Amino acid sequence: MRSLTVLVGLASVAIVAASCGGTDTTASNEAATSAAVESLVAPSSGDGAFPVTVASGDSDSTDEVVIDARPEAIVSLSPTATEMLFAVGAGDQVVAVDDQSDYPEDVPVTDLSGFEPNVEAILGYAPDLVIAASDPGELVAGLDAAGIPVLLLPSATDLDDTYAQIERVGAATGHIGDAAELVGQMQADIAEILAEVPAGTEQLTYYHELDDTFYSVTGDTFIGAVYASLGLTSIADAAGSDAYPQLSQEFIVSADPDVIFLADTQCCGVTPEQVAARPGWAGMSAVTGARVYPVDEDVASRWGPRVVDFLRSTADQVATLQPAG
């Protein structure tokens, strides 16, 4: 199954390459997608062919999960996994999602927790597959004892991780072709977005605010990798080795980022006006240039298909910026 994931990724890259070759490429892209999917969906490993063995855990893990039959009662304990499931066409197989899953609108939300999972409560939904982001409280061991396979999809570190996880979800649910098409479309969309980013963005810096106590992100995080694809550099990179450092107001003001992204508007009610009113912040380049942008904290904190929307909106904002000095 790992070789299948690699093949899907390679096919998707080929599709993206084709999309960059000219202006009239829709037909050739569709043909490339169809050919790629057809080549991957062989009788022994295609959509609906079970059992399947799928890699579980992060990209360095050697763990695998065996799924004997097409799952018809999936429980998702991860908002990102929930979005992936519905995006690959497995939504009608999902019987329950955790209390943080809120997209798409028709997801079957429950009071199940992905942070403090209750194995007995999960088993109450009679799942034949559980997908989670981590293994707290011996979740995997408890469900394994009940004969329920668990697919772990931890936080991605970059877009390649996202593509690989979508492919895993497709393989685990009987939607290999749908997952391959989704990955191909995401890569084509992202290639188009990045091709339109103006020169000079590599000189721009940003501050991404996670909450009103000034926790931020570095380039070693998933969202940091997304910003880096646009050429942006986090001021938090100079704060130390922690991927999610807590910065001081003095450090932020001194760094004087070109742009500020607020991922705490929903959680903490922070607004650009409040940022401008902070002591010493009024003279910062991002504030005087009206470059303080609220972002959807759910989309910014997840690594699913909607990363394309986040990248597009951020690219539009970056296109209006000029490097400081």
Side-chain angles (χ1 to χ4, degrees):
M1 185 52 59
R2 292 179 188 225
S3 61
L4 173 62
T5 297
V6 172
L7 286 172
V8 174
L10 291 174
S12 301
V13 170
I15 294 168
V16 175
S19 71
C20 300
T23 57
D24 185 17
T25 59
T26 301
S28 61
N29 287 348
E30 291 178 352
T33 301
S34 177
V37 172
E38 183 177 353
S39 68
L40 295 170
V41 183
S44 60
S45 60
D47 287 8
F50 288 87
V52 295
T53 302
V54 183
S56 181
D58 60 31
S59 57
D60 296 325
S61 174
T62 58
D63 293 339
E64 296 177 330
V65 58
V66 177
I67 303 169
D68 291 327
R70 183 181 188 271
E72 301 297 342
I74 301 171
V75 170
S76 172
L77 301 178
S78 160
T80 300
T82 298
E83 295 191 19
M84 290 180 178
L85 283 162
F86 278 79
V88 302
D92 60 354
Q93 297 161 252
V94 178
V95 296
V97 301
D98 70 295
D99 56 359
Q100 299 300 305
S101 290
D102 56 8
Y103 187 88
E105 293 182 356
D106 56 350
V107 295
V109 181
T110 70
D111 59 0
L112 293 176
S113 172
F115 299 106
E116 298 179 349
N118 182 315
V119 172
E120 183 177 352
I122 295 169
L123 291 175
Y125 291 93
D128 46 20
L129 175 65
V130 173
I131 303 181
S134 60
D135 184 22
E138 300 297 319
L139 170 68
V140 173
L143 291 173
D144 184 63
I148 308 301
V150 181
L151 175 60
L152 294 180
L153 301 175
S155 298
T157 58
D158 55 29
L159 288 169
D160 285 341
D161 275 354
T162 291
Y163 303 144
Q165 288 191 12
I166 290 172
E167 290 160 3
R168 290 192 211 175
V169 170
T173 60
H175 294 274
I176 293 176
D178 294 315
E181 290 189 75
L182 174 59
V183 168
Q185 186 60 59
M186 289 177 65
Q187 291 182 317
D189 290 343
I190 288 174
E192 182 178 351
I193 293 168
L194 297 183
E196 296 177 357
V197 175
T201 58
E202 67 276 1
Q203 302 176 47
L204 298 171
T205 60
Y206 71 91
Y207 163 58
H208 180 98
E209 184 167 290
L210 292 173
D211 63 22
D212 54 7
T213 65
F214 312 117
Y215 274 95
S216 189
V217 301
T218 68
D220 292 330
T221 62
F222 176 78
I223 193 63
V226 173
Y227 286 132
S229 71
L230 295 169
L232 305 181
T233 301
S234 173
I235 63 168
D237 287 351
S241 59
D242 192 342
Y244 297 94
Q246 184 178 27
L247 308 178
S248 67
Q249 292 204 60
E250 294 77 13
F251 177 90
I252 298 168
V253 171
S254 176
D256 194 21
D258 295 297
V259 59
I260 295 174
F261 298 107
L262 299 177
D264 52 1
T265 297
Q266 294 155 263
C267 76
C268 311
V270 177
T271 65
E273 292 74 22
Q274 290 176 343
V275 168
R278 292 171 177 171
W281 290 54
M284 293 173 61
S285 299
V287 175
T288 59
R291 300 189 297 267
V292 181
Y293 302 117
V295 300
D296 187 310
E297 58 200 64
D298 287 336
V299 177
S301 65
R302 299 172 189 175
W303 55 96
R306 287 195 292 167
V307 67
V308 175
D309 299 327
F310 180 83
L311 190 60
R312 181 178 290 110
S313 63
T314 305
D316 289 343
Q317 293 163 343
V318 168
T320 68
L321 306 183
Q322 294 296 326

